Amino acid sequence: MITIRVINPNTTASMTDTIRQAAQAVAGPDTRIVATNPSMGPVSIESHYDEALASVGVLDEVRQGEQEGTDGYVLACFGDPGLHAAQELASGSVVGIAQAAFHAASLLGRSFAIVTTLSRTLGRARDLVLEYGFERQCVAYRACEVPVLGLDSDPDGAYRALLAECESTIKDCDPDVIVLGCAGMAGMCKRLCNTLHRPVIDGVAAGVTLVEGLVRMGVGTAKCGEFAETPAKTITGLLAPFTRE
Amino acid sequence: MITIRVINPNTTASMTDTIRQAAQAVAGPDTRIVATNPSMGPVSIESHYDEALASVGVLDEVRQGEQEGTDGYVLACFGDPGLHAAQELASGSVVGIAQAAFHAASLLGRSFAIVTTLSRTLGRARDLVLEYGFERQCVAYRACEVPVLGLDSDPDGAYRALLAECESTIKDCDPDVIVLGCAGMAGMCKRLCNTLHRPVIDGVAAGVTLVEGLVRMGVGTAKCGEFAETPAKTITGLLAPFTRE
Amino acid sequence: MITIRVINPNTTASMTDTIRQAAQAVAGPDTRIVATNPSMGPVSIESHYDEALASVGVLDEVRQGEQEGTDGYVLACFGDPGLHAAQELASGSVVGIAQAAFHAASLLGRSFAIVTTLSRTLGRARDLVLEYGFERQCVAYRACEVPVLGLDSDPDGAYRALLAECESTIKDCDPDVIVLGCAGMAGMCKRLCNTLHRPVIDGVAAGVTLVEGLVRMGVGTAKCGEFAETPAKTITGLLAPFTRE
Amino acid sequence: MITIRVINPNTTASMTDTIRQAAQAVAGPDTRIVATNPSMGPVSIESHYDEALASVGVLDEVRQGEQEGTDGYVLACFGDPGLHAAQELASGSVVGIAQAAFHAASLLGRSFAIVTTLSRTLGRARDLVLEYGFERQCVAYRACEVPVLGLDSDPDGAYRALLAECESTIKDCDPDVIVLGCAGMAGMCKRLCNTLHRPVIDGVAAGVTLVEGLVRMGVGTAKCGEFAETPAKTITGLLAPFTRE
Amino acid sequence: MITIRVINPNTTASMTDTIRQAAQAVAGPDTRIVATNPSMGPVSIESHYDEALASVGVLDEVRQGEQEGTDGYVLACFGDPGLHAAQELASGSVVGIAQAAFHAASLLGRSFAIVTTLSRTLGRARDLVLEYGFERQCVAYRACEVPVLGLDSDPDGAYRALLAECESTIKDCDPDVIVLGCAGMAGMCKRLCNTLHRPVIDGVAAGVTLVEGLVRMGVGTAKCGEFAETPAKTITGLLAPFTRE
Amino acid sequence: MITIRVINPNTTASMTDTIRQAAQAVAGPDTRIVATNPSMGPVSIESHYDEALASVGVLDEVRQGEQEGTDGYVLACFGDPGLHAAQELASGSVVGIAQAAFHAASLLGRSFAIVTTLSRTLGRARDLVLEYGFERQCVAYRACEVPVLGLDSDPDGAYRALLAECESTIKDCDPDVIVLGCAGMAGMCKRLCNTLHRPVIDGVAAGVTLVEGLVRMGVGTAKCGEFAETPAKTITGLLAPFTRE
């Protein structure tokens, strides 16, 4: 039995449910999905500020995951908040959904486009595309201008806006693959894929299959240097619970 | 049931057996591995000449796979011969083992090193690293100077040479991850991993888990442009059997 | 006397004639052009599948060229099929026409645009631009959507489509230079150049002058490593004639 | 009067003193330095985990700075923790000391080397070099393996180790400029510069002069998109004080 | 007292006045600006030819600056003519205004656009963006097609053309920051900034603050290799006055 | 008859003789070589200062070449001084010898190394490698530390030093091809090539064959934008003879 902890970095439980379903839909028969969200942090992540704060909750969740026994982690926010810190904390592998989606998309064609929620988050997407090395494959950065929680509160309107943006992206840039830029879009992936007649990638599904594969291969994050276990450190003030002894 | 065809692009059956075992060891409980090799082509692939010829057999194998019903393909030679042509022919996804290994390695650390058989094949490895976008992650290109068939005929000597080259690579370059540069090394991966105390990636295993994941996600190669089905074409002379009507 | 073998990688003799004329038009007074095409392979090259198969015929032609005494080779298909393998086989230099055209274009201005036949072949052009290092110079990838054999069967219609695509490329991207993306366009180069008032490059002409220059300089492909002579190897089945002893 | 808030992202007050002195030493006659550190977070920053947590305190400090009236900010930790989030919060400009040091170094020569405390932090340095666009200028990543707090507790030993590492870096790589990889090294900069006979850059000093210059020019962070003011957002649990209304 | 020599590389005195004012407006209270132009060279710089000739006058001015005692130099033409040669001659630091503007712009946002005088000079801007490493940050190269001396002879018309080009650039590309591509535009910077509601950078101001900062930090160009003092050399003919003994 | 003007940018006539011989040795039977040097400028080019001044003489020589009727130009100094300005002035094509050597070398193998005279000139070589797009192919920058005029005054000592540096470069970096970094080394090229058993490229020979090829193809520098004819301009003072009316 493989246990994968899928962490929704924001604190909105309904979004954690969406993520859980997307994860379970692609997990192998011998894989157990633990979908969860932290008890602290922003209700949605739509700015660099939100993302910096969300990283804290992600670390709390990885700490818990390690105590419960976890083979690998998926960070289910498209900014991959706290990824490198989580890789230090976890004994197995950790994959962010932007990272996962980029890898999956690049296996299916020459080019992909990101279609996300708010345009102000596209800067973070550019940073990640560069850091992970997909700057030649990613040919468009687009936003449907629906806020994250709007995906939940008005799913029909959100779907229409997202579809329209995907269609205009295809018309303008003709990417081989579309990458959805928010975990909250996971439930719309299949329908978009069928409508657009080209692969559409939800990073939650991509992340679960990648982590599952790494676990089957018996490998995890390299622990020989940068990602070696986080050393002991006193943390003060409000964050004192994060002290590592 | 997921069916993955793992194609050994050379014509040496014992190497196909090694590849089959590595593939089966990581396949999910609901995945069937069909390991095979073409009836034509070089007995091993150690030059650009070998690789050009091996592509032909790969295409023959994909054609057969399509007739038999196949969900996805792994091309089990580190030069990924015929990959783009295979992507045209196949209705599902196709992954080469160099490609697969690079993706897996980059999920586990900041840097990886390739350790392969003969140094004359490192040029091809450089071409692939660049094409796939891993030029920042790949920090060393090394060879143990054991020929491909030597992995089979003298496994102990080959293992010692490979281990020595890995150790000297770690000493010189300190990569987070080692990528094995030949499908024939698949059987040595676990042992190397245990000895070297950092992740060692065999592309066959990586390829199987990646293709399995893509099948679970319900996506395959984008068929909207470059990789649309190969059009009809008359092929003449010796290659006439490859005519597409 | 310098002997240059210009290989048309497809099996259509009329296209070989077009290529011969373009080659002879630029050859120096002391250069002999041998234009030829293989006896096997696709009648035109418009997909990754066609290109993989065409490589085989290219190798057969280089083998013959070596027996006859050849100073250098031009591969006259814009996908440069089998280039690296040909470099192993040949004792002199080998240049592909995409490669040649990119080099010539970059000597004449800051930027160039590729205008080719079918858009599905532009992926290959992108791979070559990247591999050869011209990604900053190449600012547009365009197709007139005339199939390769249509250049021959309806030259007037093809010229009009090609001219229209060149003009729209200049309007959209203002490249300093146009690179023609198919050897079959060689006969239209001069007329386009005169009409468009900027340099238009036919790779066949560029390839012949580059190879001629390398021969005059007394240099050929480096034979010290990756491109050293192809080693002996048993090739089986349909491809057995390609065995090297 | 220009007011620059120099934020030490860790919670060690003696290090804030070192930073204050370095800042004041280069500030113009009409510039007031406010050196400070947050009330929460790690006592030193030597891992991705420390850095994620330190970002929270940085945001608290910027919030305070905005209330007090601040023209610009310097983030005085070489990982530039929370930089983009701080740019959203602040009305003026914000510069990280890694960023500042890279800019200053690249004005003084063709190449620079980073010499930092612990080698496990070099991955973060690589991420920043790439993100900011200095990958061609930065030719070496080195560590003297002195922990951050060791700079304070044993300054003589630390200086000797740092000097030795600088000297060996110059011998191995001959960089035009040395960049010090920790704010805690600020007090050693002048002495190293005099000893090594090439420019040595302390990012604190570089950051102060850059921010001062931007203030004199009358410009701050672009507020038209990605870095527009952080929108209102409910933050829950332990981090509730960071809610923005 | 810090002395900065701001060299206008063309020979038009009214433009030197514009540059002097822009420099003085941002200089610190303890900084003295010496604005000057050479006695030889083109009256404006709008081609590679002009720029090659302008470099000579720049070197003459640096030579004079060294005799008079100068802490640092700003080269106030957007092609940064003679920068590397000036770095050899000067004992302190030398900054070109294109270089300075790129550095300042990249501190204020993710992207910038260059808006210059004549489009034929944009090739030089591309060369500098690449050389300095800002190819990811610079997202647009635009020209208002006003000649350099037209900025002086018809300032109102020039301002309107420049504003229109900035507005259309923002509409097309949405850069975070605008970089003005000519020292002669310095006087229009503040007004554009106020009108466009995003940072507009004049390289003269940026250059002065950067050089001032480097002087405050006590560092200058690395003198250990490429930029070591220009060696003695006989210069013949018309240029004999430039002989170095 | 094709006329190629090969310009030695320095004023040392004996070096012009060496260059003439190298050019004539590779020119086609119908090509006339005019080897020349300007009447003004440095006696050798070994710094950015020398190079800036040498550009002036190059422009004088191109002006004369245009009056005499010239099909194309080679700039025979490895810094390619004044190349872009010369491209504006000339109606045909202009190639620098660094540029030419990089193009030729990259046709003959995967990698090349530059071996030049003084190490202080390697910065310029790096700038050119980047500008022309050969940063992946150029794997080493080396200097034998023989001054340019030392190639002439002590040819035997110079040859020994150059050979030793080439051999140590091959041992350290194993480049496929060696590129000689000074026109004054042209006469040593053949001997080095024979001794080192891999291609050695002299840029003078490469430049002549490239220009000859472009002339045979009937193309020259694009005159539609950046390199359109240099516009009229008043040049003042010492440089007044360069005024264009």
Side-chain angles (χ1 to χ4, degrees):
Chain A
M1 176 64 70
I2 297 169
T3 300
I4 299 177
R5 193 175 188 96
V6 183
I7 301 171
N8 170 18
N10 74 34
T11 58
T12 298
S14 62
M15 204 155 141
T16 309
D17 290 339
T18 300
I19 288 165
R20 180 184 297 109
Q21 288 169 32
Q24 284 172 337
V26 300
D30 53 345
T31 293
R32 186 169 68 101
I33 297 295
V34 178
T36 179
N37 60 256
S39 64
M40 70 188 74
V43 295
S44 65
I45 301 172
E46 293 165 315
S47 68
H48 293 295
Y49 180 84
D50 295 343
E51 193 163 347
L53 295 173
S55 300
V56 178
V58 165
L59 298 182
D60 201 38
E61 280 296 323
V62 173
R63 193 180 46 75
Q64 280 183 247
E66 290 298 289
Q67 288 169 356
E68 297 175 16
T70 301
D71 293 300
Y73 298 82
V74 175
L75 307 188
C77 165
F78 202 74
D80 295 359
L83 176 59
H84 285 337
Q87 288 180 296
E88 283 177 8
L89 281 185
S91 52
S93 60
V94 187
V95 169
I97 64 167
Q99 183 184 38
F102 301 161
H103 281 276
S106 68
L107 293 171
L108 301 176
R110 179 172 297 276
S111 59
F112 64 82
I114 296 170
V115 184
T116 192
T117 52
L118 301 184
S119 55
R120 73 176 294 153
T121 68
L122 288 171
R124 177 66 181 169
R126 286 183 188 273
D127 277 343
L128 295 179
V129 163
L130 178 64
E131 181 184 336
Y132 302 148
F134 294 93
E135 60 269 43
R136 278 196 300 271
Q137 288 93 330
C138 186
V139 295
Y141 297 82
R142 305 286 287 250
C144 63
E145 304 301 356
V146 174
V148 171
L149 297 184
L151 296 168
D152 216 39
S153 63
D154 175 14
D156 288 350
Y159 180 79
R160 281 193 304 271
L162 181 55
L163 175 62
E165 191 62 31
C166 287
E167 285 173 337
S168 101
T169 302
I170 288 170
K171 186 158 173 294
D172 294 350
C173 313
D174 193 28
D176 280 346
V177 181
I178 298 282
V179 164
L180 298 181
C182 179
M185 295 169 176
M188 302 172 182
C189 182
K190 186 69 68 180
R191 197 171 154 204
L192 283 168
C193 202
N194 292 338
T195 306
L196 296 170
H197 299 298
R198 61 189 77 193
V200 180
I201 301 294
D202 156 45
V204 177
V208 168
T209 65
L210 285 175
V211 169
E212 191 179 293
L214 295 170
V215 175
R216 289 197 203 285
M217 291 167 67
V219 290
T221 302
K223 288 289 171 183
C224 52
E226 179 181 353
F227 302 111
E229 200 190 345
T230 308
K233 184 69 54 88
T234 301
I235 315 285
T236 67
L238 186 74
L239 297 170
F242 287 86
T243 292
R244 285 179 64 83
E245 282 155 6
Chain B
M1 176 64 69
I2 297 170
T3 301
I4 299 178
R5 192 175 188 96
V6 184
I7 301 171
N8 170 18
N10 73 34
T11 58
T12 298
S14 62
M15 204 157 142
T16 310
D17 290 340
T18 300
I19 288 166
R20 179 182 298 109
Q21 287 169 30
Q24 283 172 338
V26 298
D30 53 346
T31 293
R32 186 171 67 98
I33 297 295
V34 178
T36 179
N37 62 256
S39 63
M40 70 187 75
V43 296
S44 65
I45 301 174
E46 293 164 315
S47 68
H48 292 294
Y49 180 84
D50 294 344
E51 193 163 347
L53 295 173
S55 299
V56 179
V58 165
L59 298 182
D60 200 39
E61 280 296 324
V62 173
R63 192 178 49 73
Q64 279 183 246
E66 289 299 287
Q67 287 169 356
E68 296 176 15
T70 302
D71 293 301
Y73 298 83
V74 175
L75 306 188
C77 165
F78 203 73
D80 294 358
L83 176 60
H84 285 336
Q87 287 179 297
E88 284 177 7
L89 281 185
S91 51
S93 60
V94 187
V95 168
I97 64 167
Q99 184 184 39
F102 300 161
H103 281 274
S106 68
L107 293 171
L108 300 176
R110 179 173 297 278
S111 59
F112 64 83
I114 296 170
V115 184
T116 192
T117 52
L118 301 185
S119 56
R120 71 176 295 153
T121 69
L122 287 171
R124 177 67 182 169
R126 286 183 187 272
D127 277 342
L128 294 180
V129 163
L130 177 65
E131 182 184 334
Y132 302 147
F134 294 93
E135 59 268 43
R136 279 196 298 272
Q137 287 93 330
C138 185
V139 296
Y141 297 81
R142 304 287 286 250
C144 63
E145 304 300 356
V146 173
V148 172
L149 298 184
L151 296 168
D152 217 40
S153 63
D154 176 15
D156 287 352
Y159 180 79
R160 281 193 304 271
L162 181 56
L163 175 61
E165 190 63 31
C166 288
E167 285 172 337
S168 101
T169 301
I170 288 170
K171 185 157 175 294
D172 294 350
C173 313
D174 194 27
D176 279 346
V177 181
I178 298 281
V179 163
L180 299 180
C182 180
M185 296 169 174
M188 304 172 180
C189 181
K190 186 70 67 182
R191 196 170 155 205
L192 284 168
C193 200
N194 291 339
T195 308
L196 296 169
H197 299 297
R198 61 191 77 192
V200 179
I201 301 294
D202 157 43
V204 177
V208 167
T209 66
L210 284 176
V211 169
E212 190 179 294
L214 295 171
V215 175
R216 289 196 203 284
M217 292 167 68
V219 290
T221 303
K223 287 289 171 180
C224 53
E226 179 180 353
F227 301 112
E229 199 191 346
T230 308
K233 185 67 55 84
T234 301
I235 313 287
T236 67
L238 187 73
L239 297 170
F242 286 87
T243 293
R244 285 179 62 84
E245 286 159 3
Chain C
M1 177 65 69
I2 297 170
T3 300
I4 299 179
R5 192 176 189 95
V6 184
I7 301 171
N8 170 19
N10 74 34
T11 58
T12 297
S14 61
M15 205 156 141
T16 309
D17 290 340
T18 300
I19 288 165
R20 179 182 298 111
Q21 289 168 30
Q24 283 172 337
V26 299
D30 54 343
T31 294
R32 186 170 67 99
I33 298 296
V34 178
T36 179
N37 61 256
S39 64
M40 69 188 76
V43 295
S44 66
I45 301 172
E46 293 165 313
S47 68
H48 292 296
Y49 180 85
D50 294 344
E51 193 163 348
L53 295 174
S55 300
V56 178
V58 165
L59 299 182
D60 200 39
E61 281 295 324
V62 174
R63 192 180 47 73
Q64 279 183 246
E66 290 299 289
Q67 287 169 356
E68 296 176 15
T70 301
D71 293 300
Y73 298 82
V74 175
L75 306 188
C77 165
F78 203 74
D80 296 359
L83 176 60
H84 285 337
Q87 287 180 297
E88 285 176 8
L89 282 185
S91 50
S93 60
V94 187
V95 168
I97 65 166
Q99 183 183 38
F102 301 162
H103 281 275
S106 68
L107 293 171
L108 301 177
R110 179 172 297 277
S111 59
F112 64 82
I114 296 170
V115 184
T116 192
T117 53
L118 302 184
S119 55
R120 72 176 296 154
T121 68
L122 288 171
R124 177 66 181 171
R126 286 183 188 273
D127 276 343
L128 294 179
V129 163
L130 177 65
E131 181 184 335
Y132 302 146
F134 294 93
E135 59 269 42
R136 278 197 298 273
Q137 287 94 330
C138 185
V139 295
Y141 297 81
R142 304 286 286 250
C144 63
E145 304 301 357
V146 174
V148 171
L149 298 184
L151 296 168
D152 216 39
S153 62
D154 175 15
D156 287 351
Y159 180 79
R160 280 193 304 272
L162 180 56
L163 175 62
E165 191 63 31
C166 288
E167 285 172 338
S168 101
T169 302
I170 288 170
K171 186 159 174 292
D172 294 351
C173 313
D174 194 27
D176 280 346
V177 182
I178 298 282
V179 164
L180 298 181
C182 179
M185 296 170 175
M188 302 172 182
C189 182
K190 186 69 68 180
R191 197 171 153 203
L192 283 168
C193 201
N194 292 339
T195 306
L196 295 168
H197 299 298
R198 61 190 76 191
V200 179
I201 301 293
D202 157 43
V204 177
V208 167
T209 64
L210 285 174
V211 168
E212 191 179 292
L214 295 169
V215 175
R216 289 195 203 285
M217 292 167 68
V219 289
T221 303
K223 288 289 170 181
C224 53
E226 179 181 353
F227 301 111
E229 200 190 346
T230 308
K233 184 71 53 91
T234 301
I235 314 287
T236 67
L238 187 72
L239 297 169
F242 287 86
T243 293
R244 287 180 63 84
E245 284 157 4
Chain D
M1 175 65 71
I2 297 170
T3 301
I4 298 178
R5 192 174 188 96
V6 184
I7 302 171
N8 170 18
N10 74 34
T11 58
T12 298
S14 62
M15 205 155 141
T16 308
D17 290 339
T18 300
I19 289 166
R20 179 182 298 108
Q21 289 169 30
Q24 283 172 338
V26 299
D30 53 346
T31 294
R32 185 171 68 98
I33 297 294
V34 178
T36 179
N37 62 254
S39 64
M40 68 187 77
V43 296
S44 65
I45 301 173
E46 292 165 315
S47 68
H48 293 294
Y49 180 85
D50 294 344
E51 192 164 347
L53 294 173
S55 300
V56 178
V58 165
L59 297 182
D60 201 38
E61 280 297 324
V62 173
R63 192 179 48 74
Q64 280 183 245
E66 290 299 289
Q67 287 170 356
E68 297 176 15
T70 301
D71 293 301
Y73 298 83
V74 175
L75 307 188
C77 164
F78 202 73
D80 295 357
L83 175 60
H84 285 336
Q87 288 180 296
E88 284 176 7
L89 281 185
S91 52
S93 61
V94 187
V95 168
I97 64 166
Q99 182 184 38
F102 301 161
H103 281 274
S106 67
L107 294 171
L108 300 176
R110 178 173 296 279
S111 59
F112 63 82
I114 296 170
V115 184
T116 191
T117 52
L118 301 185
S119 55
R120 71 176 295 153
T121 68
L122 288 171
R124 177 68 181 167
R126 286 182 187 272
D127 276 342
L128 294 179
V129 164
L130 177 65
E131 181 184 334
Y132 302 147
F134 294 93
E135 59 268 42
R136 278 195 299 272
Q137 287 93 330
C138 184
V139 296
Y141 298 81
R142 305 286 287 250
C144 65
E145 305 299 357
V146 174
V148 171
L149 298 184
L151 296 168
D152 217 39
S153 63
D154 176 15
D156 287 351
Y159 180 79
R160 280 193 304 271
L162 180 56
L163 175 61
E165 190 62 31
C166 288
E167 285 173 336
S168 101
T169 302
I170 288 170
K171 185 157 174 296
D172 294 350
C173 313
D174 193 26
D176 279 347
V177 182
I178 298 282
V179 164
L180 298 181
C182 180
M185 297 169 174
M188 303 171 180
C189 182
K190 186 70 66 184
R191 195 170 154 206
L192 283 168
C193 200
N194 292 339
T195 308
L196 296 169
H197 299 297
R198 60 190 79 191
V200 179
I201 301 293
D202 157 43
V204 177
V208 167
T209 65
L210 285 175
V211 168
E212 190 178 293
L214 295 170
V215 175
R216 289 196 202 285
M217 292 167 67
V219 290
T221 303
K223 287 289 171 182
C224 53
E226 178 180 353
F227 302 111
E229 199 190 346
T230 308
K233 185 68 54 88
T234 302
I235 314 287
T236 68
L238 186 73
L239 297 169
F242 287 86
T243 292
R244 286 179 64 82
E245 284 157 6
Chain E
M1 176 64 68
I2 297 170
T3 301
I4 299 179
R5 192 175 189 95
V6 184
I7 302 170
N8 170 19
N10 73 35
T11 57
T12 298
S14 62
M15 205 156 141
T16 309
D17 290 340
T18 300
I19 289 166
R20 179 183 297 109
Q21 288 169 31
Q24 283 171 337
V26 300
D30 53 345
T31 294
R32 186 169 67 99
I33 297 295
V34 178
T36 181
N37 60 256
S39 64
M40 69 188 76
V43 295
S44 65
I45 301 173
E46 293 164 315
S47 68
H48 292 295
Y49 180 86
D50 294 343
E51 192 162 349
L53 295 173
S55 300
V56 178
V58 165
L59 299 182
D60 201 39
E61 281 296 324
V62 173
R63 193 180 46 76
Q64 280 184 247
E66 290 298 289
Q67 287 169 356
E68 298 175 15
T70 302
D71 293 300
Y73 298 82
V74 175
L75 307 188
C77 165
F78 203 74
D80 294 359
L83 175 59
H84 285 337
Q87 287 180 296
E88 285 177 7
L89 282 186
S91 51
S93 60
V94 187
V95 169
I97 65 166
Q99 182 184 39
F102 301 161
H103 281 275
S106 69
L107 293 171
L108 300 176
R110 179 173 297 277
S111 59
F112 64 81
I114 296 170
V115 184
T116 192
T117 52
L118 301 184
S119 54
R120 73 176 295 155
T121 68
L122 288 171
R124 177 67 181 170
R126 286 183 187 273
D127 276 343
L128 294 179
V129 163
L130 177 65
E131 181 183 335
Y132 301 147
F134 294 92
E135 59 268 43
R136 278 196 299 272
Q137 287 93 330
C138 185
V139 296
Y141 298 82
R142 304 287 286 249
C144 64
E145 305 301 356
V146 174
V148 170
L149 298 184
L151 296 168
D152 217 40
S153 64
D154 175 16
D156 287 351
Y159 180 79
R160 280 193 304 272
L162 181 56
L163 175 61
E165 191 62 31
C166 288
E167 286 173 337
S168 101
T169 301
I170 289 170
K171 186 157 173 294
D172 294 350
C173 313
D174 193 27
D176 279 347
V177 181
I178 298 282
V179 164
L180 298 181
C182 180
M185 296 170 175
M188 303 173 182
C189 182
K190 187 68 69 183
R191 196 171 154 205
L192 283 168
C193 202
N194 292 339
T195 308
L196 295 169
H197 298 298
R198 61 190 76 193
V200 179
I201 301 295
D202 156 45
V204 177
V208 168
T209 65
L210 285 175
V211 168
E212 189 180 293
L214 295 170
V215 175
R216 290 197 202 285
M217 292 167 67
V219 290
T221 302
K223 288 288 171 184
C224 53
E226 178 181 353
F227 302 111
E229 199 190 346
T230 307
K233 183 71 52 89
T234 301
I235 314 287
T236 68
L238 187 73
L239 297 169
F242 287 87
T243 293
R244 285 180 65 83
E245 282 156 7
Chain F
M1 176 63 71
I2 296 169
T3 301
I4 299 179
R5 193 175 188 95
V6 184
I7 302 170
N8 170 18
N10 73 34
T11 57
T12 299
S14 61
M15 204 157 141
T16 309
D17 290 340
T18 300
I19 289 166
R20 179 183 297 110
Q21 289 168 30
Q24 283 172 337
V26 299
D30 53 345
T31 293
R32 186 169 68 101
I33 297 296
V34 178
T36 179
N37 61 255
S39 64
M40 69 187 75
V43 296
S44 65
I45 302 173
E46 293 166 314
S47 68
H48 293 295
Y49 180 84
D50 294 344
E51 194 163 347
L53 295 173
S55 300
V56 178
V58 166
L59 296 183
D60 201 37
E61 280 296 324
V62 173
R63 191 179 48 73
Q64 280 184 246
E66 289 299 288
Q67 288 169 356
E68 297 175 15
T70 301
D71 293 300
Y73 298 82
V74 175
L75 307 188
C77 164
F78 203 73
D80 295 357
L83 175 59
H84 286 337
Q87 288 180 296
E88 284 176 7
L89 281 186
S91 51
S93 59
V94 187
V95 169
I97 65 167
Q99 183 183 38
F102 301 163
H103 281 274
S106 69
L107 294 170
L108 301 177
R110 178 172 298 278
S111 59
F112 63 83
I114 296 170
V115 184
T116 192
T117 52
L118 301 185
S119 55
R120 72 177 294 153
T121 69
L122 288 171
R124 177 67 182 169
R126 286 183 186 273
D127 276 343
L128 294 179
V129 163
L130 177 65
E131 181 184 335
Y132 302 147
F134 294 93
E135 59 268 44
R136 280 196 297 274
Q137 287 94 330
C138 185
V139 296
Y141 298 82
R142 305 285 286 251
C144 63
E145 305 300 356
V146 174
V148 170
L149 297 183
L151 296 168
D152 216 40
S153 63
D154 175 14
D156 287 351
Y159 180 79
R160 280 193 305 271
L162 181 55
L163 175 62
E165 191 62 31
C166 288
E167 285 173 337
S168 102
T169 302
I170 288 170
K171 185 157 174 296
D172 294 350
C173 313
D174 193 26
D176 280 346
V177 182
I178 298 282
V179 164
L180 298 181
C182 179
M185 296 169 174
M188 303 172 181
C189 182
K190 186 70 68 181
R191 195 170 155 204
L192 283 167
C193 201
N194 292 338
T195 307
L196 296 168
H197 299 298
R198 59 190 79 191
V200 179
I201 301 294
D202 156 43
V204 177
V208 167
T209 66
L210 285 175
V211 169
E212 189 179 295
L214 295 170
V215 175
R216 289 195 203 286
M217 291 168 68
V219 291
T221 303
K223 287 288 170 182
C224 53
E226 179 180 354
F227 302 111
E229 200 190 345
T230 308
K233 184 70 52 87
T234 301
I235 314 288
T236 68
L238 187 72
L239 297 169
F242 287 86
T243 292
R244 285 179 64 83
E245 286 158 3

